[in-house]
Amino acid sequence: MKLRALLLTTLFAMALIGLAGTLSWHSQWQQQERSRSEAEQQLLTSLSLMVEPLLVKGAAEQIKANLLSSSFASTLPLKSILVFDAGGQLFAASQGYTANVTWSLSKKMTGRKSLPDGSDLLWSAVLVSPASMVFFEPGAAKAEGEVLGYVALQIAPLQLHASWYHQSAYWLVALLLTAAMLALMARKYKTNQQRMMMDLNRELHLLLQRPAPAVAGDALWAELQNALTELNWTHHSLKGQVAERLALAGPSKEQFDELQAHCTALAAQLSESQQLQQQELAWQRQWQHSLGLLQGVAEAELKSQLEFGQMQLHFLQRQAQPELWSPGNWFQAETLQWRPYLQKASAELVLVEDPALHQTGFELDVPVLTWTCRAIMQLVCTGMQGQSLTWHWYVQNFQDHSLLLQWDFAGRSTALQFLQSDDPQQPLLPAQRLVLQLIKQAGYKVRLSCLEELGCSLVLEIPLHKVWPQPSDVTQTMAYLDAQPARSAILKPALYALAEQVFQVQRPAELLLERKLRLLDLVVIQLPDDGDGEELRQVLLQLDCPVVAFASPHYQARWRSELSCPVLSQPLQIRPVRQLPQQQQHQPRILLVDDNETNLAFVQALLARQSLKLDTATTGQKAVQLAKTNHYQMILLDIQLPDMQGTVVAQQIRQLPHHQHSLILAFTAHALPAERDSFLAAGMDDVVLKPLDIHKIADLLQRCKALAEMA
């Protein structure tokens, strides 16, 4: 019965482990499939918005450059990104395009199908929107919502994360060990039973062969009892003698245990001392190799390498200390440390920050992250070919929260080739040794891939100790001015940390066009090294929203002297842009709507010396147009207008998203109780009777300034 119960327990344990593995596989597959689907839809949406104006212009080369940058920046296993025109003909493709990808025009706006090579093809239609209507040639404009073309992704099939296979391997090993242990127990149990049966059979055989005793049963029993009593007395006597001799001969058991523990501690100290001596000898050999490599190096470079060597010794004796990490403050401080490396390589850094960096709280070992990035940046800039270095920062949430850092640059940096070498005896610089040590110590993962024509990509995966949501406010609409389309396409995903809608332009004049089409809450400008400052200055004078510009450190002083907006040093960073609009003090804006020119002139004269901006309109249509492209804290609205009633104008203005909390006042000469109720029902907040006087002006200004401070 015991053997059967043991076997049943084994089978139940194996079934339970198999069931757990199946459920884990199913849950992991669903989670990765859901996360990947979200990432695919986000990429298709961003690509559709990016190629929409370029399809209208027919700029195939520019689309191809944008597709190339998007392919490098995406974490999805993309094989190629394709763009088709409205007729289904291939218009542009990334470098991974192969001829076996076929396309059949479908009426569906989005879809997915499997390809012969095992990959999947996802597509989404690019539709005409109001933003792209301005790019059509006169007479060739298409209707809003009409298909411009299609964006397609050729993507490798979904595969489970490698960590799941590692976990499954642990479960399988546990299953095999359990089965082996139970099998050994069953075998041992069976062997013991067989041995006991053999002993019983042998004793029974001896008893049967033994002749019957000559004495009677009672006499034999008495003789056995006397023998047992004598044996017990002898045992107790010997036990007492042994205890007396032990007490006279040596220490007690407690003293013996204490002596043994002391000897063990001395042996551990001796082993640790030997390890430290061996480590010191190894360090001396490493420094001899490093000093040989550093012969003939410039003094500044030598100082930097010695600093990396000192930090390597520091981190050897340091324990991991996770702490709260603020990406914005960290970027601002570390940019000054990277600048000498970039200047030496004559390289421009494009920093692409994932919006999730500013919407999430992180806990990690900040000094390890800081010195790992400094050392890698120094190595990347050593021997780098080309003048552009793109650094992407992503937050991964697929399984285990981690931070993904990706350096993309042209050419092959010889200082990074040690990451692809398995030779433990190769001579390394202190910066290279520091990178290897910190990666191993902190559990980072690193991979380096190079393509002959495109350059190299270095990816560093950093595990996060703790992650929690940290909501942040963003503006609604912003414009981004950049004369370089490739850089603009790379930076656009990061700009969604500043605004919900991002519109890209390449010329200053296009800013005014965007200003007429929509309300702009923020304008970010990438300043060229040589450009027409007068044209840009005239455009900025016509903008009434916060403007932030970025310039190369060599030309920052020149642009600051020519422009009135803040000019920061490149690279473009999210945190300084989010801080500056909050620091700028904006004047309250008031819209006065009245068809009487005399009343307008009178109110303008009363408010001339006040610190506010006053716009006027004489018709309801003009008032609605001004409200669409401007944000007013207060609107004084006449009821009797030549083209429409003031209540209708109030209803249309109140429907605009940026005027949900604006103060709309009925500006009239009389207001009966029934009329007042109709004004409030139309979306107005109160009534101001004509004419205005000093007390009414003071009350209006106080309410307007309060609203401006709240905004």
Side-chain angles (χ1 to χ4, degrees):
M1 291 300 293
K2 291 184 178 180
L3 181 60
R4 182 179 299 176
L6 201 59
L7 292 176
L8 289 176
T9 303
T10 303
L11 294 176
F12 178 74
M14 294 175 67
L16 188 62
I17 294 177
L19 178 61
T22 303
L23 293 177
S24 174
W25 177 87
H26 183 68
S27 174
Q28 180 70 17
W29 184 271
Q30 284 188 336
Q31 181 181 2
Q32 288 191 209
E33 189 176 30
R34 182 168 55 254
S35 301
R36 177 164 163 174
S37 178
E38 293 176 359
E40 290 170 353
Q41 293 302 322
Q42 291 179 0
L43 181 58
L44 282 174
T45 301
S46 62
L47 288 174
S48 299
L49 294 174
M50 178 183 66
V51 304
E52 178 186 345
L54 301 179
L55 276 174
V56 177
K57 298 178 181 179
E61 293 299 326
Q62 191 172 349
I63 290 180
K64 186 174 181 180
N66 293 344
L67 296 182
L68 183 62
S69 61
S70 299
S71 177
F72 267 102
S74 177
T75 57
L76 294 172
L78 296 174
K79 289 191 173 182
S80 62
I81 305 178
L82 314 173
V83 176
F84 299 87
D85 58 15
Q89 299 298 322
L90 181 64
F91 189 77
S94 64
Q95 81 284 358
Y97 170 70
T98 56
N100 62 345
V101 177
T102 58
W103 170 267
S104 59
L105 186 61
S106 174
K107 295 297 183 180
K108 295 182 179 180
M109 295 298 179
T110 61
R112 186 187 192 109
K113 71 174 184 178
S114 299
L115 298 178
D117 61 352
S119 61
D120 294 336
L121 185 68
L122 293 79
W123 71 86
S124 175
V126 182
L127 305 179
V128 178
S129 66
S132 62
M133 297 288 287
V134 298
F135 297 103
F136 283 101
E137 297 293 336
K142 293 185 177 182
E144 183 177 351
E146 189 174 349
V147 177
L148 275 175
Y150 299 87
V151 176
L153 304 177
Q154 184 186 4
I155 189 168
L158 180 64
Q159 295 181 354
L160 285 180
H161 199 274
S163 60
W164 183 86
Y165 291 101
H166 297 162
Q167 295 176 0
S168 301
Y170 297 151
W171 281 102
L172 181 60
V173 171
L175 177 62
L176 294 177
L177 290 177
T178 303
M181 182 176 63
L182 292 175
L184 290 175
M185 292 174 63
R187 183 177 179 181
K188 183 177 180 181
Y189 176 78
K190 187 175 180 180
T191 303
N192 290 337
Q193 278 192 332
Q194 291 177 353
R195 186 180 296 110
M196 290 175 61
M197 291 298 298
M198 292 176 63
D199 293 340
L200 288 174
N201 290 332
R202 187 183 302 107
E203 292 180 4
L204 181 61
H205 181 70
L206 293 175
L207 288 174
L208 291 175
Q209 291 181 350
R210 182 181 300 172
V215 280
D218 293 339
L220 179 62
W221 178 251
E223 183 180 352
L224 288 174
Q225 283 186 337
N226 293 332
L228 288 174
T229 302
E230 184 178 357
L231 183 62
N232 288 334
W233 180 85
T234 304
H235 172 71
H236 287 295
S237 177
L238 290 175
K239 187 176 180 180
Q241 294 177 8
V242 169
E244 291 178 359
R245 291 183 179 181
L246 286 176
L248 295 175
S252 63
K253 183 177 183 302
E254 291 77 6
Q255 294 175 341
F256 179 76
D257 293 340
E258 183 179 356
L259 180 61
Q260 185 177 11
H262 183 65
C263 293
T264 304
L266 289 177
Q269 293 179 1
L270 179 61
S271 176
E272 183 179 358
S273 176
Q274 292 176 350
Q275 291 179 357
L276 291 175
Q277 291 179 359
Q278 294 177 358
Q279 189 175 19
E280 185 177 356
L281 291 175
W283 272 105
Q284 291 178 359
R285 288 193 294 269
Q286 291 180 8
W287 274 105
Q288 290 175 359
H289 285 299
S290 300
L291 291 175
L293 291 173
L294 290 174
Q295 290 181 357
V297 177
E299 181 179 355
E301 179 68 16
L302 181 61
K303 182 179 179 181
S304 175
Q305 293 293 338
L306 291 176
E307 185 179 14
F308 286 131
Q310 293 173 358
M311 294 310 300
Q312 185 178 6
L313 291 173
H314 168 72
F315 283 109
L316 273 175
Q317 305 170 356
R318 178 183 175 274
Q319 298 294 329
Q321 299 175 359
E323 58 183 288
L324 183 64
W325 179 57
S326 175
N329 294 334
W330 188 85
F331 282 131
Q332 285 183 276
E334 286 301 307
T335 303
L336 300 177
Q337 302 293 332
W338 307 329
R339 188 169 295 170
Y341 309 143
L342 297 169
Q343 291 176 351
K344 181 180 179 181
S346 300
E348 176 189 1
L349 175 62
V350 179
L351 187 62
V352 185
E353 305 174 44
D354 188 351
L357 284 172
H358 305 277
Q359 299 170 0
T360 313
F362 304 97
E363 190 175 281
L364 49 79
D365 197 332
V366 179
V368 173
L369 171 67
T370 300
W371 282 97
T372 303
C373 292
R374 287 186 189 178
I376 292 181
M377 182 66 75
Q378 194 268 347
L379 295 174
V380 167
C381 294
T382 301
M384 185 184 73
Q385 301 173 4
Q387 297 181 345
S388 179
L389 171 61
T390 306
W391 195 3
H392 301 267
W393 287 70
Y394 302 105
V395 179
Q396 290 195 126
N397 299 312
F398 293 114
Q399 183 179 8
D400 299 328
H401 291 285
S402 59
L403 196 62
L404 196 66
L405 281 61
Q406 179 175 335
W407 288 264
D408 295 332
F409 54 92
R412 291 176 176 268
S413 180
T414 56
L416 293 174
Q417 299 305 314
F418 73 98
L419 296 174
Q420 296 179 324
S421 176
D422 297 330
D423 183 12
Q425 303 298 331
Q426 61 176 332
L428 298 177
L429 291 171
Q432 296 170 331
R433 295 190 181 278
L434 178 62
V435 170
L436 290 178
Q437 175 189 324
L438 294 182
I439 288 175
K440 181 179 179 181
Q441 181 176 334
Y444 293 174
K445 298 179 181 178
V446 63
R447 61 181 182 270
L448 176 66
S449 57
C450 296
L451 297 176
E452 290 295 337
E453 298 180 356
L454 298 178
C456 292
S457 179
L458 175 64
V459 179
L460 183 68
E461 185 175 347
I462 301 173
L464 300 174
H465 295 270
K466 189 177 180 181
V467 177
W468 63 91
Q470 187 172 315
S472 59
D473 297 331
V474 297
T475 59
Q476 185 175 0
T477 308
M478 69 164 287
Y480 175 64
L481 172 61
D482 194 345
Q484 299 183 19
R487 180 176 61 185
S488 179
I490 293 174
L491 279 173
K492 186 174 182 180
L495 297 178
Y496 285 104
L498 297 173
E500 297 177 359
Q501 295 181 339
V502 179
F503 296 93
Q504 297 172 303
V505 296
Q506 298 182 15
R507 298 189 304 273
E510 296 179 9
L511 283 176
L512 298 180
L513 179 60
E514 292 291 339
R515 178 65 181 81
K516 294 179 181 179
L517 294 175
R518 57 185 57 85
L519 174 67
L520 296 179
D521 299 312
L522 176 66
V523 173
V524 178
I525 302 174
Q526 288 276 15
L527 297 173
D529 293 343
D530 51 349
D532 187 3
E534 180 62 28
E535 178 188 4
L536 186 58
R537 182 168 57 253
Q538 294 299 327
V539 170
L540 295 183
L541 290 176
Q542 303 181 49
L543 298 177
D544 52 3
C545 61
V547 179
V548 181
F550 286 86
S552 173
H554 299 291
Y555 299 92
Q556 187 178 5
R558 170 227 166 177
W559 284 109
R560 281 181 174 177
S561 64
E562 295 186 9
L563 302 180
S564 58
C565 66
V567 179
L568 306 180
S569 176
Q570 290 177 346
L572 189 150
Q573 300 179 41
I574 300 300
R575 182 177 177 84
V577 178
R578 297 176 68 176
Q579 288 179 334
L580 284 175
Q582 298 176 1
Q583 299 171 358
Q584 296 176 355
Q585 301 295 329
H586 304 292
Q587 294 180 344
R589 298 195 66 175
I590 297 178
L591 175 61
L592 176 60
V593 186
D594 200 328
D595 59 340
N596 191 323
E597 298 290 345
T598 303
N599 289 339
L600 293 178
F602 177 70
V603 176
Q604 285 178 334
L606 288 176
L607 300 177
R609 296 184 179 181
Q610 303 298 329
S611 58
L612 54 83
K613 187 173 182 179
L614 178 65
D615 294 338
T616 60
T618 56
T619 62
Q621 183 177 2
K622 184 178 179 181
V624 173
Q625 184 62 32
L626 287 174
K628 287 182 178 179
T629 56
N630 296 280
H631 183 208
Y632 296 104
Q633 282 74 38
M634 182 181 297
I635 301 176
L636 294 174
L637 184 57
D638 190 12
I639 301 301
Q640 301 296 332
L641 295 174
D643 55 346
M644 63 180 72
Q645 288 291 322
T647 54
V648 178
V649 177
Q651 291 175 348
Q652 295 184 10
I653 294 177
R654 189 62 80 185
Q655 292 176 358
L656 299 175
H658 53 282
H659 283 300
Q660 296 293 319
H661 303 288
S662 299
L663 190 63
I664 303 179
L665 305 176
F667 190 44
T668 180
H670 56 82
L672 299 176
E675 293 177 331
R676 185 184 184 92
D677 293 339
S678 66
F679 298 158
L680 298 178
M684 298 185 181
D685 297 289
D686 205 347
V687 178
V688 176
L689 297 178
K690 299 178 182 179
L692 292 177
D693 55 24
I694 297 177
H695 299 288
K696 293 179 181 179
I697 289 292
D699 180 63
L700 291 177
L701 291 177
Q702 185 177 2
R703 298 171 70 177
C704 186
K705 290 180 179 179
L707 288 174
E709 292 176 358
M710 292 175 59

